[in-house]
Amino acid sequence: MKLAPNEKGVLMEFTDDRIASKLITMGVFPGTTIELVRYAPFKGGCYVKVDNRAIAIRRDEAQCILLQA
């Protein structure tokens, strides 16, 4: 996932099945619009909005999300 803060994208697919199952359990499905709110300091996670819900995910989890170009 490569977004700038306040930028949106549509989730197309996941590259890692283990992380995909975790994110799907949290309500992050393919076809969902994701907005990057901000990155945590010191290369921590990132805060994203998914269907008007804010969640925090790790950077390695975010890198497994492929967005529509």
Side-chain angles (χ1 to χ4, degrees):
M1 179 173 84
K2 293 187 179 187
L3 294 175
N6 299 318
E7 191 175 17
K8 296 180 183 180
V10 177
L11 191 152
M12 296 305 294
E13 63 181 303
F14 302 101
T15 60
D16 184 310
D17 291 336
R18 181 186 58 84
I19 292 173
S21 65
K22 178 182 177 183
L23 292 173
I24 288 171
T25 304
M26 293 176 11
V28 181
F29 299 103
T32 304
T33 300
I34 296 177
E35 178 183 355
L36 177 66
V37 177
R38 67 183 170 107
Y39 287 107
F42 306 112
K43 302 240 180 199
C46 55
Y47 300 100
V48 295
K49 273 189 182 177
V50 180
D51 293 333
N52 291 324
R53 289 179 294 124
I55 62 171
I57 58 175
R58 295 182 179 103
R59 285 197 187 225
D60 63 331
E61 294 169 342
Q63 290 175 345
C64 294
I65 297 173
L66 296 179
L67 299 174
Q68 182 177 11

